[in-house]
Amino acid sequence: MRTSEKPAVTPAGPNGALSGPASRKLPVPPRERKPALAALAVLLILGGALASTLLVMRSGERISAIRVTQQIGTGQPMSAEALQEVQIADTGIDYVPWSRRFEVVRNFAATTILPGTLLTEQMTITASQELGPGKAKVGLALKAGQYPAGLDKGDRVQVVYVPGRTSQTAGRVLAQSALVHSVSPPGRTGSSGLITIIVDSSVSPDIVARASTGEIAVAELPGAR
């Protein structure tokens, strides 16, 4: 004969509270998740990864640009001999492509362009104020000591009248800021160097007259480019 077992009854505590397994806390329902925030986080992660991938891919792309190899002064023509093709990374900067070099040589420098500069659209203009109406090109045959060493096209110079020792006339500035158009160094025989400058046509006759007697000197203005 079997004796049925009754389930054990957990005795109550002194204050009537349950003790033992019955005193365990009821399970708490899980917190409600926010799908919108989770989706936004995923989009941000994917967006950052995509941006990084594009930057890496773009840094490997190369474009053909124009580099200036010789100094070109303000208003001077963009000489074909001063342009060189270079391959650079595509950084998004508006460099002038090498394919437009034939268009570039028909333009002029908007400002003094130094050697090694990568050409941009803002550096060139279609018309030159330096070579326009009211200007004149003047050639000066100067000896050593009448012009500074290292003078180059695109530099700015003062044109100074330097009278002979026997003259009672005081020296004076004939052109405050003349643009050096070209420089030909002295030959092996020690002949004078030929410097071509651009000045206002109103002062060019006086400069030519003084230059014919060897009473002209030029002083470089390094900060006036």
Side-chain angles (χ1 to χ4, degrees):
M1 180 175 182
R2 295 181 179 180
T3 304
S4 59
E5 295 180 358
K6 295 183 180 180
V9 178
T10 302
N15 299 326
L18 297 177
S19 61
S23 65
R24 296 175 183 175
K25 295 182 179 180
L26 296 176
V28 179
R31 295 182 179 179
E32 181 181 358
R33 294 182 179 178
K34 298 181 179 180
L37 292 178
L40 179 59
V42 172
L43 288 176
L44 290 175
I45 294 172
L46 292 177
L50 180 60
S52 301
T53 302
L54 290 176
L55 287 175
V56 172
M57 293 177 61
R58 191 163 189 176
S59 64
E61 295 180 0
R62 312 292 288 182
I63 60 174
S64 183
I66 297 176
R67 179 169 60 190
V68 177
T69 59
Q70 303 173 16
Q71 179 171 308
I72 304 176
T74 304
Q76 289 190 309
M78 301 294 296
S79 172
E81 291 76 15
L83 306 181
Q84 180 185 60
E85 180 182 11
V86 291
Q87 297 292 325
I88 61 173
D90 185 5
T91 58
I93 299 178
D94 189 23
Y95 293 121
V96 179
W98 177 250
S99 60
R100 292 180 53 194
R101 60 191 182 278
F102 299 110
E103 176 185 342
V104 170
V105 296
R106 296 196 295 267
N107 295 338
F108 302 86
T111 185
T112 297
I113 305 175
L114 300 178
T117 302
L118 295 176
L119 196 65
T120 63
E121 296 286 352
Q122 294 74 22
M123 295 180 185
T124 61
I125 52 177
T126 57
S128 172
Q129 296 180 352
E130 294 290 344
L131 298 175
K135 299 291 184 178
K137 288 184 182 180
V138 177
L140 304 175
L142 303 178
K143 298 179 181 180
Q146 292 181 310
Y147 66 98
L151 195 65
D152 199 1
K153 63 180 181 179
D155 290 337
R156 291 279 178 176
V157 295
Q158 278 186 338
V159 182
V160 184
Y161 165 52
V162 184
R165 294 180 180 178
T166 59
S167 176
Q168 301 298 321
T169 307
R172 57 190 175 90
V173 176
L174 302 180
Q176 182 63 40
S177 180
L179 176 67
V180 177
H181 185 70
S182 63
V183 178
S184 299
R188 295 181 179 179
T189 60
S191 59
S192 301
L194 180 61
I195 299 176
T196 302
I197 59 175
I198 299 175
V199 297
D200 292 338
S201 57
S202 60
V203 300
S204 59
D206 195 14
I207 294 176
V208 171
R210 305 298 181 184
S212 64
T213 60
E215 297 176 317
I216 287 292
V218 298
E220 185 180 2
L221 303 172
R225 294 185 180 274

